[in-house]
Structure formats: C-alpha cells, structure tokens
Amino acid sequence: RPEWWRHHDHGFGGWHYWNRFNDFDYGYWWGAPAWPALTNWFAWPTPVVWNQPYYYDYGPGGNVVYENNYVYVNGERVASADEFAESAAALATVPPPPSEEVVAQAEWMPLGTFALSSGENDTEPRRVIQLAVDREGIISGTLYDVETDEAQAIQGQVDKETQRVAFRVGESEDIVFETGLYNLTQEEAPVLMHFGTEWTENYLLVRLDEPQEQGAGTAQE
C-alpha cells in the first residue's frame, strides 16, 4: 500500500530503487513485464541478442536436475553441485555502486510481487517478494514476512549470457535464490534456494495481483 514503505524501513544495500518511489505510483511495482519489453530494456556495454527465452525448471521432471553430485541443464552436464552453488553465489554478489549519484540515476523495471511458496501444502505463504531490475541487470527488491512484519533487502543480478538470475536476501552470506529472467515474466516461477554448498530446496514464486481495495492513483509516500 502507499504507506507501507514508511512503516517498514530497512537497509537496501548498495543498489536499490527506494529513491524512485516518489516518481511512480506504488502500483507500478506490482507490474508484470512482457518478455519483448525485457529484451529491449538492458543497456549492457556489449549488446546481447537473446533469440529465445530460457525457462528454468528445477528438480524431477524439470530441465535443471541434480544427479550423482552433478548438475544437468537440458540434459547437458554443466557443473558439479558445489560449483553450481558457487556460481549462483558469485552471480548474486553485486559490486557496490561507485556513488549515490549513479544509484539515483538508475532506471528500474518492475518484475512484480510474488508469494514465496515452499510446496503444494503451503497454501498461505508467509513470505512475499517484490523484485525489479535496472538497465545494467542489477536485481533489487524486498522480502517481507507477513507473520513477523519484517522486511529484508534483496540484491542480485542477471547473467546476460544464460538469463539466469540470482539474488541474496538481507545480510545472509549463505542463502541464495536463483531462477530465470523469463520465469519472472510468468504467473508462476520455479525457484532454487541454495544453502551454501550444503543443500538446496525447491520453491515457487506465485505472482500476486495489486490489491484492488487500495485503488490507483495514490502517490507513493
């Protein structure tokens, strides 16, 4: 809601879109991007042409599978389990911005607001994630725990070659989420959570609609 951010102050890390809230109605951050809009959004120094989107589906029946301590993507062995977790952690580690002026000039596209579900029996997820991406592929956002009323910053980035997305939550050094950029344009997005190199868990992001009772046209405070 428009007043939510005023009552849930939390650290945003180096990159954030907090400074942009006064420029957009709060409902803007609930938006769902179309894939063609994302392909034209980024301003990387070396242009990247994505001929098709990559969808990441983790676990049995998916295209990202762990077998005998190796990870296979679309049937091809890409890394050991440890190497795969380490690469996600590296992708989620974002260099700090050179100055606050650079942060203030960043432009952000909303990826949407999602409930984070741990499985089919998790019918009322307690955690909500809001995500956005800037033109350099930096991921920013917030994880909110409904039960504790606590919010934590999200920070990560997009791999421009593989379309893989990885991000960290709060101050944790070990917990890293990964999914695909195309996944985040869909109504449901499979997510893999890494707990260091020790183990992984499968989650699902379920897109939420903007609360209708709040209406539109109210400026973000």
Side-chain angles (χ1 to χ4, degrees):
R1 294 178 284 182
E3 70 277 9
W4 187 89
W5 296 98
R6 186 169 58 183
H7 301 295
H8 297 84
D9 189 24
H10 57 286
F12 281 85
W15 293 98
H16 54 77
Y17 54 88
W18 172 263
N19 61 296
R20 305 296 294 178
F21 285 170
N22 290 328
D23 294 355
F24 296 99
D25 181 271
Y26 81 98
Y28 175 77
W29 303 104
W30 292 72
W35 179 250
L38 274 175
T39 60
N40 294 316
W41 170 252
F42 298 105
W44 284 307
T46 302
V48 175
V49 178
W50 289 337
N51 294 322
Q52 63 181 10
Y54 301 146
Y55 187 77
Y56 287 83
D57 191 5
Y58 304 93
N63 62 348
V64 182
V65 179
Y66 283 72
E67 185 176 330
N68 297 325
N69 206 36
Y70 285 95
V71 178
Y72 295 79
V73 178
N74 295 321
E76 180 180 350
R77 193 168 81 177
V78 297
S80 69
D82 286 356
E83 291 169 342
F84 195 69
E86 290 166 355
S87 67
L91 182 60
T93 304
V94 180
S99 68
E100 280 299 313
E101 288 74 16
V102 172
V103 176
Q105 294 170 4
E107 298 178 81
W108 296 95
M109 176 180 284
L111 295 170
T113 303
F114 304 85
L116 179 64
S117 174
S118 60
E120 294 181 357
N121 296 325
D122 188 11
T123 58
E124 295 184 6
R126 60 183 286 181
R127 289 165 292 184
V128 177
I129 286 180
Q130 190 175 64
L131 298 171
V133 63
D134 80 351
R135 291 189 180 275
E136 305 303 321
I138 303 296
I139 295 290
S140 180
T142 302
L143 184 146
Y144 174 61
D145 190 311
V146 176
E147 293 186 7
T148 64
D149 195 31
E150 295 178 343
Q152 298 182 76
I154 285 173
Q155 189 166 282
Q157 58 189 327
V158 181
D159 186 312
K160 63 183 180 181
E161 302 296 335
T162 65
Q163 303 173 23
R164 188 184 185 195
V165 172
F167 55 85
R168 300 179 183 274
V169 176
E171 301 297 324
S172 174
E173 292 291 329
D174 296 323
I175 298 177
V176 173
F177 290 83
E178 76 159 85
T179 185
L181 185 62
Y182 180 66
N183 293 41
L184 297 174
T185 68
Q186 306 300 300
E187 293 303 304
E188 295 184 352
V191 172
L192 185 67
M193 184 187 293
H194 298 272
F195 295 85
T197 59
E198 300 303 315
W199 82 91
T200 62
E201 292 183 5
N202 294 330
Y203 286 80
L204 185 69
L205 290 177
V206 181
R207 186 177 300 279
L208 301 176
D209 295 326
E210 178 185 345
Q212 295 300 312
E213 65 270 17
Q214 297 304 318
T218 303
Q220 180 72 34
E221 299 181 15

